[in-house]
Amino acid sequence: MEHVVCDPLLLRNAFGCFATGVTVVTAGTSDGPVAITANSFSSVSLDPPLVLWSIGRHSRRFDAFANASHYAIHVLAEDQTELCWRFSKSGSDFAGLDLRWNEHGVPLLPRALARFECSVAGRFPAGDHMILLGRVLDLETQEGSPLLFAGGTSRTHSRAQGAG
């Protein structure tokens, strides 16, 4: 197989052409709750119910998520832009949020469009990231439109359609 070298900035910009949903992943640690914004979420299987997401090895929150046995993936609604940027900057800023906790000690954020409570089903090294495969133990959904991410910025569904 031929190895192709490409400019990392060019590659990042090309990846940014693909719009994704925005998630915040949370876990409980011995130091308290931790969260991270991730747009690498994907469904994998209905039977068994599996999802995946990935975290960069350079992230200050890598160890917390790489070692967590359980986590929750929250699909953000279009009015949750503040949460997207809050947890992209800080993994511990839960101030003012009406948190609930599941039986595995995972913090659950309010008002997510969908939430998948997971146990780790596998960890796979993938270049400068680790892919975390999760078995869905519980989920919750509500009506609404998703927050989107493309070209390095968050977008609402209506703005993506040209209405905003």
Side-chain angles (χ1 to χ4, degrees):
M1 186 157 121
E2 182 179 337
H3 178 71
V4 178
V5 178
C6 62
D7 179 300
L9 182 57
L10 180 63
L11 183 61
R12 183 182 181 114
N13 289 341
F15 287 159
C17 292
F18 182 70
T20 66
V22 180
T23 68
V24 170
V25 184
T26 59
T29 73
S30 59
D31 295 328
V34 64
I36 192 166
T37 300
N39 68 340
S40 57
F41 170 76
S42 183
S43 60
V44 175
S45 171
L46 294 174
D47 186 18
L50 299 172
V51 296
L52 67 77
W53 69 287
S54 64
I55 184 168
R57 293 183 177 281
H58 63 276
S59 171
R60 292 185 309 267
R61 291 165 257 180
F62 178 82
D63 289 339
F65 285 103
N67 296 318
S69 63
H70 293 82
Y71 53 83
I73 301 170
H74 304 79
V75 177
L76 298 187
E78 67 181 350
D79 66 347
Q80 292 182 302
T81 303
E82 188 272 331
L83 285 181
C84 164
W85 296 113
R86 177 194 297 211
F87 291 118
S88 71
K89 294 177 181 137
S90 168
S92 59
D93 184 4
F94 289 87
L97 295 177
D98 185 21
L99 289 180
R100 290 187 302 127
W101 301 82
N102 72 13
E103 65 271 17
H104 302 288
V106 176
L108 305 176
L109 301 175
R111 299 180 30 255
L113 199 58
R115 181 179 54 247
F116 302 90
E117 296 176 48
C118 302
S119 63
V120 173
R123 296 175 178 92
F124 306 94
D128 62 359
H129 278 65
M130 176 180 283
I131 298 170
L132 296 166
L133 183 67
R135 183 178 183 101
V136 179
L137 304 174
D138 199 7
L139 64 94
E140 186 175 301
T141 64
Q142 68 176 1
E143 294 292 317
S145 294
L147 182 63
L148 304 175
F149 188 82
T153 188
S154 61
R155 301 163 186 258
T156 63
H157 179 70
S158 57
R159 238 182 53 202
Q161 291 184 352

